[in-house]
Amino acid sequence: MTAPPPQAPEPGLAAIPERVATVRSRIAAAAERAGRDPAEVTLVAVSKLHPSAAVRAAYGAGVADFGENYAQDLAAKAALLPEAHWHFVGRLQRNKAAVLIAVAALVHSLDSLPGAEALARRAMRAGTVARALVQVELERRAAAHGVPAADLEDFVAACRRVEGLELRGLMVMPAPVADPEEARPLFRRAVALSRRLDPGMRALSMGMTADYEVAVEEGSTLVRVGTAIFGPRMGSPMGSRMGSRPKKEGK
Ligand SMILES: *Cc1c(COP(=O)(O)O)cnc(C)c1O
């Protein structure tokens, strides 16, 4: 009897540890250029539309934080790897609040008071608090999500009155740019907004594959990096920023 041949890792998976190392060293270099401590920056590996084997490969390479856009996928992957920290970075739907409270350490995309109330209500019921970032919209775009910058102060004040909700900071997601330098002015505006908030609310989720180094130079504390770690997303031939998905998640 011959032993089965050693299983070759799937080609996509084999590249993940090296990609993680590259992203980490670029984060560190960007932080150092800005006189920041690289330890201030958390790498959130956005694993949406990638299989859980890819998540495991990144976890094995030292990534402790993962982000997902769809509540169901978040729950499924978090169940397989509960020792990681799971972040929700997709559109917030109120009917998914219970799932998010059960598995997400941080919701990056809070952009409505009903959403805040739904999260808080579920959190209270579970004997915990909902930790969230306010997604701020700094550009005028047709398909924009997020609280307009002009309304941020009022929104934060309203959220303060919601028991069971703990705001940690802001999230921004610029429209795709050809040159990461184009995102810099917007990141600076996010930092300026962030500095006006309480010290407990200074987390800043900004920077994706195309622009995370610029984001770190400007003050990001959470970068959401997908493609640079996992490669192109399946079901996303256009390289959509939101990660288009063949089947729609129920409303
Ligand atoms: C998909 C996604 C990311 C990761 O995008 P990449 O360009 O692949 O790094 C980050 N943040 C959000 C909100 C996303 O939807």
Side-chain angles (χ1 to χ4, degrees):
M1 291 245 294
T2 52
Q7 268 190 327
E10 286 177 47
L13 297 184
I16 288 175
E18 201 182 307
R19 293 200 194 117
V20 167
T22 301
V23 169
R24 280 203 186 292
S25 71
R26 290 189 177 173
I27 290 171
E32 273 150 27
R33 282 196 295 278
R36 303 183 62 206
D37 178 356
E40 289 170 15
V41 184
T42 299
L43 169 60
V44 179
V46 178
S47 50
K48 64 172 178 230
L49 304 173
H50 289 285
S52 43
V55 172
R56 266 188 233 285
Y59 186 77
V63 175
D65 290 78
F66 293 89
E68 284 284 333
N69 286 55
Y70 305 97
Q72 266 93 341
D73 294 351
L74 175 78
K77 287 178 184 165
L80 293 171
L81 199 63
E83 50 279 56
H85 300 133
W86 289 90
H87 299 245
F88 182 70
V89 302
R91 277 239 74 197
L92 185 55
Q93 292 176 307
R94 273 180 281 163
N95 64 341
K96 297 295 186 321
V99 177
L100 300 185
I101 289 304
V103 293
L106 188 66
V107 171
H108 289 227
S109 46
L110 181 62
D111 67 352
S112 77
L113 200 54
E117 287 164 347
L119 284 177
R121 202 160 43 238
R122 286 296 178 169
M124 299 272 282
R125 224 178 276 178
T128 178
V129 292
R131 294 186 179 85
L133 307 177
V134 178
Q135 182 169 355
V136 189
E137 185 54 53
L138 296 170
E139 298 164 295
R140 252 181 227 121
R141 304 189 254 167
H145 303 308
V147 175
D151 301 341
L152 180 63
E153 214 173 307
D154 288 347
F155 183 74
V156 169
C159 284
R160 286 255 162 72
R161 294 191 280 272
V162 178
E163 198 188 346
L165 178 69
E166 196 175 290
L167 291 186
R168 286 295 180 86
L170 305 178
M171 185 268 238
V172 291
M173 186 160 150
V177 288
D179 173 356
E181 284 299 329
E182 289 174 45
R184 194 183 294 276
L186 191 130
F187 290 152
R188 287 198 175 151
R189 288 179 55 205
V191 169
L193 286 174
S194 164
R195 290 205 175 124
R196 287 199 233 144
L197 301 171
D198 287 349
M201 275 194 68
R202 299 273 168 83
L204 203 45
S205 169
M206 60 184 196
M208 303 168 49
T209 291
D211 52 24
Y212 68 93
E213 292 164 271
V214 171
V216 169
E217 286 173 5
E218 293 302 327
S220 172
T221 70
L222 294 145
V223 289
R224 309 179 309 270
V225 179
T227 310
I229 290 175
F230 298 110
R233 284 180 280 277
M234 278 171 297
S236 182
M238 313 300 285
S240 155
R241 302 273 285 187
M242 293 306 290
S244 58
R245 183 177 219 228
K247 72 179 156 65
K248 273 212 177 119
E249 188 163 271
K251 285 270 150 62

